Amino acid sequence: MELYPVLLVFACVGGLATLVLVSFCVTVLGSISSREWSAGAGLGPIAILLLPGNTLELWLFEKPVFSFRIPEDTGEAGKKEEEKDGEILKKAEKESGFPFSALLKLPISIDSVSISGRIGTGDAGETGKLYGWIAALRGALRTTRLDLNIIPDFAEAGWSANIRARIRIRSLFHLVIALLPFIKR
């Protein structure tokens, strides 16, 4: 009997197990300013973004590929349902005793966080003072996994921030095992 088919089977099983047991990273993206916001997540070159106006967009290599607008319910029934949903959620939290401590045991860690943006108060002196505090904070955070890059805007009042967090998941296997208590409920 040849050993080649047996080794091939072991290689295939090992390859499939590797997909489940190896850690991977997910990038969480967000952008906020005084006028608009966006949020989303990406795995490699693919990102799904939630934008204002109930729009979902699929991006591939940082270019929009597909856009979908979520229909809005503008009737009175929709408003009443939202109020009922809030009450139902509060009631369910009290009755179920949701295990918030189990969230701390998830096999997820924050790999790095990068915040970049601009800030301006409209007054150059006040913007300078605020930027001095931010620069001191950035110096204190230099040895952490948090990168803070804020640019002062001495001409205009306003602010904006782009947030990029890289989250490491230990493995799909560990994630599924940790989520089992939530699924059973």
Side-chain angles (χ1 to χ4, degrees):
M1 180 173 138
E2 289 189 27
L3 201 56
Y4 180 71
V6 175
L7 291 176
L8 185 62
V9 169
F10 279 120
C12 289
V13 170
L16 291 175
T18 301
L19 292 176
V20 176
L21 297 176
V22 171
S23 69
F24 61 95
C25 290
V26 175
T27 304
V28 179
L29 311 166
S31 174
I32 189 167
S33 71
S34 56
R35 294 186 276 294
E36 63 182 40
W37 61 270
S38 70
L43 183 62
I46 300 170
I48 297 175
L49 299 175
L50 176 62
L51 302 172
N54 293 336
T55 305
L56 279 174
E57 285 190 357
L58 175 66
W59 287 46
L60 184 63
F61 295 107
E62 298 186 9
K63 294 190 182 195
V65 175
F66 177 73
S67 182
F68 174 73
R69 183 158 165 74
I70 302 169
E72 293 182 21
D73 183 16
T74 57
E76 289 296 320
K79 291 179 184 175
K80 289 180 182 177
E81 286 180 20
E82 287 178 3
E83 292 173 1
K84 287 181 186 177
D85 288 344
E87 293 171 8
I88 291 170
L89 181 62
K90 288 179 185 176
K91 188 184 239 185
E93 286 178 357
K94 288 180 183 177
E95 291 175 359
S96 69
F98 184 76
F100 288 106
S101 61
L103 290 174
L104 298 174
K105 298 176 185 174
L106 288 177
I108 297 173
S109 62
I110 297 175
D111 206 27
S112 64
V113 177
S114 175
I115 302 172
S116 61
R118 70 163 195 89
I119 191 161
T121 62
D123 178 25
E126 290 298 318
T127 301
K129 286 180 189 177
L130 182 60
Y131 181 68
W133 281 100
I134 292 171
L137 181 63
R138 182 176 45 206
L141 294 173
R142 189 174 305 264
T143 60
T144 66
R145 295 180 183 183
L146 179 65
D147 179 36
L148 187 61
N149 186 17
I150 305 295
I151 298 170
D153 187 353
F154 295 107
E156 294 181 25
W159 57 274
S160 67
N162 294 320
I163 303 164
R164 179 180 294 258
R166 189 174 154 141
I167 298 173
R168 181 171 300 278
I169 299 173
R170 188 171 170 188
S171 71
L172 284 177
F173 174 74
H174 288 98
L175 185 62
V176 168
I177 295 297
L179 290 177
L180 281 177
F182 300 108
I183 295 170
K184 290 179 182 176
R185 293 190 176 267

